[in-house]
Amino acid sequence: MAKDLSTDVLVIGAGPAGSMTAKWAAKGGARVLMIEKRQEIGSPVRCGEGMSKSWLAEVGITPGKWINLEVEGARIYSPSEKVFEINEKHAGNEVGYVVERDGFDKALAIDAGNAGVDIQLKTAATGLIRENGRIVGARVKQFGEPFEIRASVVIGADGFESQIGRWAGLPTNLALRDMDSCLQYRMTGVDCDVRYCDFYLGEVAPGGYVWIFPKDHGLANVGIGVQLSKIRGMAEAKTYLDRWIDAHPAYAKGKKIDMVGGGVSISKPLNQTVTDGLMLVGDAARMIDPLTGGGIANGCIAGKICGEVAAEAVHQGTPTKEFFQKYEKGWRAKLEEKLFRNWLAKEKLCTLSDATFDKVIDALADVRLQKLTVHNILKAVRDKYPEITKEFESVL
Amino acid sequence: MPPNKRSLHIESSGQLCIYCGACVGVCPLNCIYLDETRITFDEKICTRCEICVKACPVGAIEIG
Ligand SMILES: Cc1cc2nc3c(=O)[nH]c(=O)nc-3n(C[C@H](O)[C@H](O)[C@H](O)COP(=O)(O)OP(=O)(O)OC[C@H]3O[C@@H](n4cnc5c(N)ncnc54)[C@H](O)[C@@H]3O)c2cc1C
Ligand code: SF4
Ligand code: SF4
């Protein structure tokens, strides 16, 4: 075992959260090694490829060739397919791009590489190294060869599969109601509208939704997320998605050219994402928005903070749990309140009946809302369907 | 396998499994591991809680 390595910061996983963390740690002057178990960064894709755009500049990402198209808004369909449109005017910058996710992940890895990060593929972490109660590195396997990588700071950016957090003893396990099972087809020959990302709510996707994210004229990602607590049998994500497609001629006539699946956390923020020698970031830290299921933006926003704190810890020789509170506080200041609020909203929304959903969307569709505020939404519902106001109020 | 445990089978030869990793992430005991297109499953730790069965979007995991 001649190969053992050492570095300042070891980032495990080269998804968006890992690449952002690695880049900002390197920019902070640390020696950074990022390892990725796959042979190709960004592939296979496990993503609907929709994301908002307002946060990109803040974390230093320049829009690139990975953008398929820019949408004008989102359309929310109730169970009886009443439509509520959210556009840039009243949602601020919440709407955004449909992207080529493998290209996006590679672009971030290239940024990291250009900032000085060493990147090694086909290198999987198989365990953590612990000394005197602190994490001081990871055991890895590279092209089948086992060796050790020592590091002052270890970053778990290993995505939803998240082994690192569990190995470190951090409480990352989730309740059934806080997880979604997802499946998506890329379909060609469909009648999608390139101006909108579409969401279908209600019993068509228990506890989740069906999404249509257009990639081009006639080409779209058609996917579903179903809440685990609402699943009774096998292959339900596929069963529900196939059923939805069959019921929609504009999509039933299309042809599938790709299929991706995966798990998504729809939980409230974790209580703890750091320990001595280690920080978690992105899906590994359960940072996905529990209402939308989107995790790219949050992973990148937290990744920048994580990388900066990692570099500081290296310079000051303080890779301790106490020092990493700076990261805990930093990412929470940006994300926690919204994550928590959206988790509460999700908890309530998935208890609403299809009939209530219909009324809510109908009420919203009627009033051309100027700005999507809790007050405006409630007023619209109260004016049209006073009988459901009480049930719906608790959602907001 | 203890006699009181039902068997758990992951059809990971490619006929059903799409290597999405959902089962890996949801297992409370960390007994499934995915490396590109190879799944390893630790029979001994698994409690047959069936969470992975629910999470698998395509029905590649069966408990008998
Ligand atoms: C079907 C589906 C659709 C989605 N749609 C959207 C969407 O439209 N918009 C959105 O914003 N989000 C979406 N998400 C969520 C989004 O994909 C994630 O939030 C995002 O990928 C998180 O980035 P990450 O860097 O934390 O993790 P990942 O992108 O999962 O990256 C983790 C990386 O770590 C590697 N890794 C894992 N274990 C190890 C190990 N032991 N050693 C070395 N490397 C390891 C993995 O191979 C992977 O490359 C979707 C998710 C799913 C499943
Ligand atoms: S049955 Fe439960 S314990 Fe066993 S592999 Fe599946 S999720 Fe893990
Ligand atoms: S959840 Fe199903 S399809 Fe996905 S990796 Fe596990 S067994 Fe394979």
Side-chain angles (χ1 to χ4, degrees):
Chain A
M1 236 195 276
K3 180 143 187 189
D4 293 353
L5 298 177
S6 82
T7 181
D8 291 338
V9 180
L10 171 65
V11 178
I12 301 170
S19 284
M20 278 308 265
T21 306
K23 169 180 153 180
W24 286 97
K27 276 174 157 300
R31 283 184 308 147
V32 186
L33 169 58
M34 177 164 70
I35 62 170
E36 168 55 52
K37 73 176 174 183
R38 299 179 183 180
Q39 67 193 31
E40 183 181 341
I41 289 172
S43 172
V45 171
R46 286 180 197 155
C47 190
E49 307 186 299
M51 65 186 203
S52 57
K53 58 185 184 190
S54 55
W55 54 276
L56 288 166
E58 174 194 334
V59 298
I61 301 176
T62 346
K65 285 189 223 118
W66 40 265
I67 298 173
N68 283 132
L69 50 82
E70 192 174 337
V71 290
E72 284 171 23
R75 291 184 300 198
I76 318 272
Y77 289 79
S78 75
S80 70
E81 307 209 347
K82 296 194 162 55
V83 196
F84 173 54
E85 189 186 318
I86 302 172
N87 58 39
E88 207 141 7
K89 228 178 18 252
H90 49 243
N93 273 321
E94 281 295 312
V95 294
Y97 297 131
V98 179
V99 304
E100 207 73 357
R101 179 62 200 276
D102 44 345
F104 176 78
D105 284 19
K106 286 190 182 79
L108 296 200
I110 289 169
D111 272 359
N114 291 343
V117 174
D118 186 11
I119 305 172
Q120 303 201 8
L121 302 178
K122 276 278 191 208
T123 309
T126 57
L128 294 172
I129 309 169
R130 212 183 270 270
E131 265 166 21
N132 306 320
R134 309 192 19 200
I135 285 146
V136 293
R139 285 187 293 281
V140 306
K141 242 184 189 178
Q142 182 173 71
F143 286 98
E145 183 194 358
F147 59 94
E148 291 186 355
I149 302 175
R150 299 250 157 186
S152 307
V153 183
V154 176
I155 310 288
D158 53 335
F160 180 72
E161 291 172 39
S162 169
Q163 314 261 319
I164 309 296
R166 294 191 263 198
W167 289 336
L170 288 168
T172 57
N173 273 349
L174 299 168
L176 280 183
R177 66 174 200 280
D178 288 337
M179 298 183 273
D180 263 5
S181 169
C182 303
L183 188 71
Q184 170 189 280
Y185 304 121
R186 186 172 301 174
M187 299 184 75
T188 184
V190 296
D191 294 336
C192 57
D193 189 328
V194 291
R195 294 171 302 168
Y196 299 100
C197 283
D198 289 340
F199 300 83
Y200 291 79
L201 302 179
E203 281 306 311
V204 290
Y209 58 80
V210 168
W211 68 80
I212 314 284
F213 295 169
K215 290 188 62 86
D216 200 346
H217 294 280
L219 183 70
N221 289 337
V222 181
I224 194 169
V226 184
Q227 195 180 20
L228 247 57
S229 52
K230 301 223 161 136
I231 290 180
R232 299 284 162 259
M234 288 166 65
E236 288 201 4
K238 182 169 187 303
T239 308
Y240 276 105
L241 180 59
D242 289 346
R243 192 180 296 158
W244 186 91
I245 291 171
D246 285 344
H248 290 81
Y251 295 92
K253 67 178 184 172
K255 293 163 190 74
K256 300 171 188 131
I257 58 164
D258 183 4
M259 180 173 179
V260 308
V264 160
S265 62
I266 46 170
S267 63
K268 58 186 164 189
L270 294 182
N271 291 329
Q272 191 189 343
T273 58
V274 304
T275 185
D276 285 316
L278 179 129
M279 295 186 269
L280 294 181
V281 66
D283 281 15
R286 313 305 194 198
M287 286 172 179
I288 294 184
D289 185 311
L291 195 58
T292 64
I296 304 171
N298 289 354
C300 290
I301 292 167
K304 177 166 186 273
I305 304 168
C306 189
E308 289 166 347
V309 172
E312 264 183 69
V314 167
H315 293 315
Q316 302 191 16
T318 51
T320 60
K321 190 172 159 182
E322 288 68 39
F323 189 83
F324 293 157
Q325 293 309 313
K326 199 163 177 183
Y327 166 63
E328 283 275 21
K329 290 209 182 90
W331 79 256
R332 286 180 200 279
K334 293 237 180 253
L335 306 175
E336 185 167 48
E337 194 194 323
K338 188 169 179 204
L339 286 176
F340 195 74
R341 203 166 6 99
N342 284 356
W343 177 75
L344 280 177
K346 173 221 77 174
E347 289 282 283
K348 293 289 181 186
L349 278 178
C350 55
T351 65
L352 294 188
S353 65
D354 274 7
T356 307
F357 260 132
D358 270 327
K359 288 181 177 164
V360 171
I361 299 294
D362 186 44
L364 293 180
D366 257 23
V367 289
R368 298 238 125 243
L369 287 183
Q370 288 306 309
K371 188 106 186 82
L372 271 184
T373 63
V374 171
H375 176 81
N376 283 346
I377 293 173
L378 260 183
K379 182 170 182 312
V381 173
R382 199 181 296 125
D383 289 351
K384 190 151 188 197
Y385 296 105
E387 73 277 14
I388 62 160
T389 310
K390 207 167 164 42
E391 183 186 357
F392 184 64
E393 227 163 16
S394 62
V395 175
L396 299 164
Chain B
M1 188 177 67
N4 59 343
K5 269 195 179 182
R6 292 168 300 156
S7 68
L8 180 145
H9 177 67
I10 305 178
E11 173 37 66
S12 61
S13 69
Q15 298 205 30
L16 289 173
C17 178
I18 56 171
Y19 313 109
C20 71
C23 55
V24 181
V26 301
C27 173
L29 296 169
N30 220 4
C31 38
I32 310 178
Y33 183 70
L34 169 69
D35 200 344
E36 303 267 1
T37 57
R38 197 172 64 91
I39 286 197
T40 15
F41 162 58
D42 192 331
E43 173 89 29
K44 289 189 293 295
I45 313 174
C46 170
T47 58
R48 312 302 193 260
C49 69
E50 304 199 15
I51 294 177
C52 58
V53 178
K54 293 182 175 178
C56 178
V58 295
I61 309 181
E62 197 166 13
I63 294 196

